[in-house]
Amino acid sequence: GEQVEQRPPHLSVREGDSAVITCTYTDPNSYYFFWYKQEPGASLQLLMKVFSSTEINEGQGFTVLLNKKDKRLSLNLTAAHPGDSAAYFCAVSASNNAPRFGAGTKLSVKP
Amino acid sequence: DTTVKQNPRYKLARVGKPVNLICSQTMNHDTMYWYQKKPNQAPKLLLFYYDKILNREADTFEKFQSSRPNNSFCSLYIGSAGLEYSAMYLCASSMPIYAEQFFGPGTRLTVL
């Protein structure tokens, strides 16, 4: 079955710096990709969903890159601010299959 | 309302005793999931319901049961809790199965 590896487990950056979180997956049939953000004490909330047909997706203050050849998904926060401090999880699924998650990255953004 | 509710939020159980956790959603989603989350580990898929069809993961098949009496409710049942069941249990729903999931706040189960 699908295996998802997420790195790094912990990441600490200064305000204004960039932060990059990466996931690799094993199932070549994976087609749907997700990034979730979990703030302390809160539920996982969707940050962005990506379909296999799109390699670059931009959100507010971040970019998601999908490299299908290398089976790698990355979340790039371009200029992190303290409000970005949270746990981030990637999730991957093939059609008609439940998403599988990475182990998460705890991001800390210091002023 | 995009809320997924879970009850209870905290559960203390004794080794060998049963545990029943409840999840509900009012978004009319056809798929509901249960994940087990331990510290520093990925949320592990235990099972999911697509409509009335239950799909259980092979490695947890014997350990967890579930029921979905209607579209809105889904339960997770542990017949005999062991220490290794101590974890956060996350319920989620989506429609369709590969779409964005909506998560509940989780139930923290502690087995003593």
Side-chain angles (χ1 to χ4, degrees):
Chain A
E2 177 81 88
Q3 303 288 328
V4 181
E5 190 163 325
Q6 184 172 342
R7 290 281 185 267
H10 300 275
L11 182 58
S12 181
V13 301
R14 290 284 181 191
E15 185 173 5
D17 288 349
S18 62
V20 180
I21 303 170
T22 301
C23 287
T24 56
Y25 58 95
T26 56
D27 187 348
N29 296 315
S30 296
Y31 192 84
Y32 304 95
F33 306 87
F34 308 87
W35 284 102
Y36 288 87
K37 178 181 180 181
Q38 186 180 28
E39 297 183 353
S43 307
L44 276 80
Q45 299 285 330
L46 181 74
L47 193 62
M48 177 167 276
K49 58 185 173 185
V50 177
F51 299 125
S52 181
S53 56
T54 309
E55 294 187 345
I56 301 175
N57 294 265
E58 293 188 352
Q60 195 163 6
F62 61 90
T63 303
V64 172
L65 301 177
L66 175 62
N67 182 325
K68 289 177 285 185
K69 175 175 171 290
D70 294 341
K71 298 197 219 37
R72 181 182 297 119
L73 178 74
S74 66
L75 172 66
N76 301 261
L77 283 79
T78 47
H81 56 86
D84 292 328
S85 295
Y88 292 82
F89 294 87
C90 64
V92 180
S93 72
S95 295
N96 297 322
N97 209 344
R100 310 304 167 118
F101 280 78
T105 297
K106 289 184 182 172
L107 174 65
S108 174
V109 182
K110 299 185 186 330
Chain B
D1 182 11
T2 58
T3 305
V4 175
K5 294 183 170 64
Q6 290 189 242
N7 286 298
R9 292 293 307 276
Y10 301 90
K11 175 72 178 175
L12 191 62
R14 294 291 180 188
V15 170
K17 296 298 186 184
V19 175
N20 197 44
L21 308 180
I22 303 293
C23 177
S24 66
Q25 52 90 15
T26 55
M27 295 171 279
N28 203 32
H29 284 171
D30 58 9
T31 308
M32 294 185 75
Y33 314 77
W34 282 99
Y35 290 86
Q36 181 191 63
K37 175 76 173 70
K38 294 185 177 182
N40 303 314
Q41 294 183 21
K44 177 181 170 55
L45 180 69
L46 299 177
L47 54 89
F48 65 94
Y49 264 99
Y50 170 66
D51 195 13
K52 297 185 191 306
I53 301 169
L54 175 61
N55 298 268
R56 286 187 287 179
E57 291 293 281
D59 59 344
T60 57
F61 192 88
E62 301 289 336
K63 297 181 179 180
F64 299 94
Q65 299 283 340
S66 183
S67 67
R68 192 177 185 186
N70 55 54
N71 177 270
S72 300
F73 288 87
C74 187
S75 67
L76 181 70
Y77 180 76
I78 301 167
S80 177
L83 296 175
E84 71 277 16
Y85 288 85
S86 291
M88 179 73 83
Y89 289 84
L90 302 175
C91 175
S93 69
S94 74
M95 184 166 178
I97 186 172
Y98 49 78
E100 166 193 359
Q101 291 173 301
F102 290 80
F103 281 85
T107 295
R108 185 172 295 282
L109 173 65
T110 302
V111 182
L112 301 174

